[in-house]
Amino acid sequence: MTDTLRPDAELAPVAEIAEAEGPLRVAMIGHGFMGAAHSQGWRVAPRFFDLAREPEMTVVVGRNAAAVEHAARKWGWAEAATDWRDVIARDDIDVVDVVTPGDTHAEIAIAALEAGKHVLCEKPLANTVAEAEAMTEAATQAAERGIRSMVGFTYRRVPAATFARDLVAAGRIGEIRQVRAEYLQDWLMDADAPLTWRMQKDRAGSGALGDIGAHAVDLTEYITGQKVTTVSGIIETIVPERPLLGESVGLSGTASTERGAVTVDDIALFTGRLDSGALASFEATRFRTGRKNALRIEVAGSLGAISFDLERLNELDFYDATLPETELGFRRILVTEHDHPYLSPWWPTGHMLGYEHGFSHQVYDFVTAIVAGTQPLPSFDDGLHVQRVLDAVERSSAAGSMWTPTD
């Protein structure tokens, strides 16, 4: 690891980046949970990282004027707007950050790229393979004009996850033999929790599979350096109907007595085969009782193994099979050293980072790539591949769990 601050090999060293004039003026389309997280990233990154161009939080966009004005004041955006098309057309916008539900990703991202704006788009890239293909084509054409795009698989930028990738790439666990990845949550355990957009296929594209399973797929591919080529899986909806949101819906929403159909999956279980032929097992569920945000991945190899758990995001478990038998066993690595990825600008050794820090790392990588004129990762093409994996899982489930190619 020659550059622990910026571990992505696609990015040029800081010394090679010419100082650019003027800020990068950002428009964020959408607000809510991801709006808060992305706002944190835009606001904090330039205060800890040396960026060649400082992000300027110019405008946040939402459909409800009162709600988006509240978000602008709370998160530090200079202004609020309700028409994303007008905002994208403005000359004083350089970057468009898309944090809307999946059914609008393609329209907004393509329009922004065609307008000459750099685009950061939340995952999954789109709701369908066709939409993701159109977005990737637009990104390819925009790149020819120097316009950059990236999909927001932020967990790649948790230092312990990045360090796991580094260990695997350095050959520390040898030949990869088996992977287990799972993303476990329980926030839908209550069968009377209201029907929101995340449970509607026309808005979200899929349920647990796309919402959190996409992270498990991307992190597996990132850490191993391999792609999922075929899958065999099953998806299931555990609670088929939920209370509709009432008419008097505030920022938190209220439920009515009427019920509507849940049109996405609640749980996805599938096996995947990697480029090397190694097998990987995946689980994505929002019904795993007692698990709050357990994104876990374990990679077993011929020389050792690594194990990461997002609920212990400052730690990495490492097993070195080359040690004498009397010394074997997983050992905990506390990933807080300044020589670990991303950590040198932060706190003294041993002081922990949290969930929100990954979004600052995302801003750092994205801005650095824009200024350097390189492709930020993960690219829209990477997002398209994950979309194809998700689609293959759905097709496999519909066909009775048969093996289904991802491309």
Side-chain angles (χ1 to χ4, degrees):
M1 293 174 291
T2 58
D3 189 344
T4 55
L5 173 62
R6 301 165 58 253
D8 197 324
E10 291 281 340
L11 301 180
V14 174
E16 297 178 10
I17 298 175
E19 187 71 23
E21 293 185 0
L24 278 172
R25 299 158 297 185
V26 181
M28 187 174 71
I29 316 298
H31 57 95
F33 169 37
M34 275 298 103
H38 281 233
S39 297
Q40 175 80 356
W42 291 115
R43 184 173 60 250
V44 173
R47 288 160 175 79
F48 282 84
F49 292 86
D50 293 327
L51 299 178
R53 295 182 68 180
E54 181 168 346
E56 179 182 278
M57 298 169 65
T58 303
V59 57
V60 58
V61 184
R63 291 176 297 178
N64 182 293
V68 73
E69 287 171 5
H70 172 79
R73 291 192 303 271
K74 183 174 182 178
W75 298 333
W77 293 89
E79 59 180 288
T82 57
D83 191 326
W84 64 263
R85 294 175 181 83
D86 288 346
V87 169
I88 285 175
R90 286 168 46 167
D91 293 334
D92 65 338
I93 298 300
D94 304 301
V95 174
V96 172
D97 184 3
V98 183
V99 296
T100 56
D103 61 323
T104 59
H105 284 188
E107 182 181 14
I108 296 172
I110 291 172
L113 290 167
E114 290 177 346
K117 317 299 184 186
H118 307 290
V119 173
L120 171 61
C121 184
E122 253 304 315
K123 62 92 235 135
L125 185 60
N127 276 6
T128 67
V129 170
E131 290 175 348
E133 287 174 339
M135 294 172 73
T136 302
E137 177 60 27
T140 300
Q141 294 178 6
E144 296 175 356
R145 297 179 281 118
I147 305 303
R148 306 300 166 190
S149 55
M150 187 173 80
V151 60
F153 283 109
T154 317
Y155 294 135
R156 287 182 173 212
R157 294 176 166 87
V158 173
T162 308
F163 187 56
R165 187 280 308 264
D166 293 344
L167 291 174
V168 172
R172 295 293 300 278
I173 70 167
E175 176 189 353
I176 294 173
R177 291 176 169 171
Q178 183 180 356
V179 180
R180 180 176 181 176
E182 53 188 10
Y183 203 153
L184 314 175
Q185 298 177 341
D186 71 354
W187 62 277
L188 284 182
M189 279 297 300
D190 182 358
D192 289 326
L195 184 71
T196 68
W197 69 267
R198 291 184 184 275
M199 288 165 266
Q200 298 171 312
K201 189 172 182 61
D202 61 337
R203 300 291 310 282
S206 64
L209 177 63
D211 185 21
I212 54 180
H215 277 303
V217 172
D218 180 74
L219 198 58
T220 294
E221 295 188 335
Y222 174 67
I223 290 176
T224 64
Q226 300 186 33
K227 296 292 188 182
V228 177
T229 59
T230 57
V231 297
S232 174
I234 186 169
I235 61 176
E236 186 168 315
T237 303
I238 296 174
V239 176
E241 291 185 342
R242 290 184 175 274
L244 298 175
L245 286 173
E247 294 183 1
S248 300
V249 180
L251 293 179
S252 60
T254 57
S256 72
T257 56
E258 297 182 43
R259 302 181 77 87
V262 174
T263 53
V264 299
D265 57 283
D266 288 326
I267 183 171
L269 299 168
F270 59 101
T271 303
R273 193 175 294 279
L274 304 180
D275 291 327
S276 64
L279 286 175
S281 63
F282 296 89
E283 178 180 357
T285 176
R286 301 185 291 206
F287 275 78
R288 181 65 76 86
T289 307
R291 299 300 178 189
K292 302 306 175 184
N293 203 35
L295 172 57
R296 299 168 171 174
I297 179 168
E298 185 165 300
V299 183
S302 58
L303 299 178
I306 56 96
S307 181
F308 169 75
D309 184 344
L310 184 63
E311 292 186 337
R312 296 187 292 116
L313 80 170
N314 291 281
E315 303 174 18
L316 184 68
D317 289 335
F318 176 61
Y319 183 95
D320 186 351
T322 68
L323 294 175
E325 288 186 0
T326 53
E327 300 176 24
L328 292 177
F330 275 97
R331 63 183 176 89
R332 183 187 74 150
I333 300 174
L334 191 61
V335 185
T336 63
E337 298 291 332
H338 281 182
D339 284 340
H340 283 130
Y342 296 107
L343 283 166
S344 60
W346 292 108
W347 318 117
T349 294
H351 290 71
M352 309 299 184
L353 298 192
Y355 170 80
E356 73 278 7
H357 289 81
F359 295 91
S360 294
H361 302 159
Q362 177 172 265
V363 167
Y364 175 83
D365 285 344
F366 190 42
V367 171
T368 300
I370 289 172
V371 176
T374 57
Q375 173 59 56
L377 297 177
S379 65
F380 275 23
D381 191 59
D382 294 324
L384 169 60
H385 169 74
V386 172
Q387 198 72 49
R388 286 173 170 159
V389 173
L390 305 180
D391 179 72
V393 172
E394 290 195 279
R395 289 186 286 116
S396 174
S397 180
S401 300
M402 67 179 293
W403 281 100
T404 304
T406 59
D407 290 306

